[in-house]
Amino acid sequence: MENDTTGTLFLPPQSSTISGDVDALFNFVLYASIVFFLLVVLLSLFFVLRYRRRGQLTLSTGPSHNTKLEIVWTLIPLVLVFIVFFWGFKTFLKMHIVPQDAIDIKVTAQKWFWTFDYTKAGVNSLNELVVPVDQPVQLTMSSTDVIHSFYVPGFRVKMDVLPNRYSVTWFQANHTGEFDLFCAEYCGTSHSDMIGKVRVLNEREYNEWLEQQSMGGDDMPLPELGAKLFSSKACITCHTVDGIPKVGPSFKGRFGSKQPMDDGQQVLIDENFVRESILSPMAHVAQGFQPVMPSYQGLLKEREIDALIEYMKSLQEE
Ligand code: CUA
């Protein structure tokens, strides 16, 4: 990124077309607040010292009002809030009216990962939103469970993602690079791990990426592909490969063993079990764990399920 100079104490460098507007208004409110804070505090201090008790008091009744002063302290704040309102409203409209030619991407939030469906190209990705630079992108978002919030600080874009309805937002990235994506609404145990990336590519790289996505790692050995999917499909949010359980059991040493389920049944962890766990996780829930695993139905290709199984097999205790 060439212009890193636009980052501030509060926010990372401006990387979308609206970030300048958002920051300008934010700074206006910030500096106006600082000016009035200083004005009030310094004047108070001055009056406290200037009019402190000195010797015997002679009290007068004092003025009951001062019309000029009252008009001034009404008009100045009035003007200020009008500036903030109209400026804010203008920017709000800009942020909410999606350009006609925007690329449409469907966003699904669930505990605890993001799915991005490229409706036109027919591909999807998890926790990684890939977009072309200098083109408007429309996000139509919904949640399958609780309220999440889609937040990309670099783009100054934040929008709640709700169950049972769609919320829409858009942005246009104005330089290439990688940007943080956070969930900004507490949504349960792994809320803080519900982290993704937005990768902004140039047009050619973007089209290459779309093509690559539709092939789905066909040239890779299965365990290697599985290891890649383990993080790219967000298994890593809830599972580990080092034997220490997280939200879900660790993958290490689990394949081929017999494990107790929440109904007391002992189940052999074999290919069919892992497959079922991925596609219908509620069928058998491992004892000692919450039934919070989302279904990956429609999110993984057959070969990708095979790859995850092979990867799990490769993780045996030494
Ligand atoms: Cu999803 Cu917090």
Side-chain angles (χ1 to χ4, degrees):
M1 277 181 288
E2 55 292 341
N3 55 349
D4 261 5
T5 48
T6 53
T8 66
L9 176 65
F10 303 101
L11 288 162
Q14 301 169 351
S15 307
S16 75
T17 47
I18 54 126
S19 9
D21 298 276
V22 173
D23 289 6
L25 180 54
F26 174 83
N27 286 329
F28 175 77
V29 174
L30 176 70
Y31 292 124
S33 306
I34 290 174
V35 166
F36 282 94
F37 172 79
L38 289 177
L39 188 72
V40 169
V41 171
L42 293 179
L43 271 181
S44 312
L45 276 175
F46 171 74
F47 290 140
V48 163
L49 293 172
R50 176 74 179 78
Y51 299 105
R52 70 186 184 278
R53 184 170 183 162
R54 276 179 291 201
Q56 205 49 43
L57 289 178
T58 44
L59 294 172
S60 67
T61 48
S64 68
H65 74 275
N66 182 324
T67 310
K68 231 188 259 166
L69 188 65
E70 283 162 18
I71 289 174
V72 167
W73 78 35
T74 305
L75 279 183
I76 293 178
L78 191 70
V79 168
L80 284 170
V81 294
F82 267 96
I83 292 176
V84 173
F85 174 76
F86 283 106
W87 195 348
F89 190 59
K90 224 182 111 203
T91 311
F92 177 86
L93 288 180
K94 206 168 154 184
M95 291 168 85
H96 284 259
I97 299 171
V98 187
Q100 287 279 314
D101 55 340
I103 297 171
D104 198 12
I105 299 174
K106 173 79 183 62
V107 179
T108 309
Q110 58 186 301
K111 297 194 272 186
W112 287 281
F113 61 86
W114 302 95
T115 310
F116 303 105
D117 279 289
Y118 295 72
T119 37
K120 246 195 183 153
V123 302
N124 67 50
S125 69
L126 263 67
N127 277 353
E128 187 188 49
L129 175 60
V130 178
V131 296
V133 71
D134 295 327
Q135 279 190 56
V137 174
Q138 171 180 339
L139 304 176
T140 308
M141 311 192 284
S142 64
S143 162
T144 61
D145 39 47
V146 298
I147 302 177
H148 303 268
S149 183
F150 179 93
Y151 181 35
V152 183
F155 296 166
R156 313 295 190 262
V157 165
K158 189 198 248 173
M159 179 60 92
D160 275 3
V161 184
L162 309 159
N164 302 323
R165 74 161 92 161
Y166 297 110
S167 49
V168 172
T169 191
W170 77 280
F171 63 85
Q172 178 170 331
N174 56 14
H175 43 91
T176 55
E178 214 168 75
F179 304 91
D180 291 317
L181 159 64
F182 298 114
C183 176
E185 177 72 52
Y186 181 71
C187 54
T189 313
S190 290
H191 156 72
S192 56
D193 288 324
M194 198 167 161
I195 294 172
K197 283 270 174 231
V198 183
R199 270 205 297 143
V200 181
L201 306 174
N202 64 40
E203 178 103 47
R204 185 182 50 81
E205 290 169 331
Y206 173 70
N207 288 325
E208 277 172 15
W209 179 84
L210 280 182
E211 213 160 287
Q212 222 176 35
Q213 278 309 98
S214 62
M215 310 218 310
D218 280 348
D219 47 345
M220 227 183 248
L222 285 179
E224 202 180 305
L225 176 62
K228 212 185 101 194
L229 296 170
F230 180 73
S231 62
S232 73
K233 298 292 177 186
C235 314
I236 197 168
T237 308
C238 299
H239 299 278
T240 66
V241 291
D242 60 3
I244 301 162
K246 217 173 162 186
V247 175
S250 175
F251 281 11
K252 186 166 183 186
R254 207 166 170 85
F255 195 89
S257 68
K258 278 207 160 177
Q259 296 290 340
M261 296 296 122
D262 60 355
D263 57 2
Q265 218 183 330
Q266 291 278 333
V267 173
L268 175 71
I269 311 296
D270 61 2
E271 284 89 347
N272 278 317
F273 179 85
V274 177
R275 185 190 166 79
E276 180 196 71
S277 293
I278 293 172
L279 300 177
S280 336
M282 292 309 133
H284 291 93
V285 177
Q287 202 170 72
F289 295 94
Q290 295 291 314
V292 292
M293 162 110 181
S295 168
Y296 275 74
Q297 193 82 53
L299 298 177
L300 295 171
K301 297 190 190 69
E302 284 301 322
R303 191 164 189 277
E304 293 177 323
I305 296 173
D306 295 344
L308 281 165
I309 293 171
E310 289 310 313
Y311 177 54
M312 200 167 166
K313 276 187 194 169
S314 74
L315 297 165
Q316 293 306 323
E317 308 275 8
E318 286 90 41

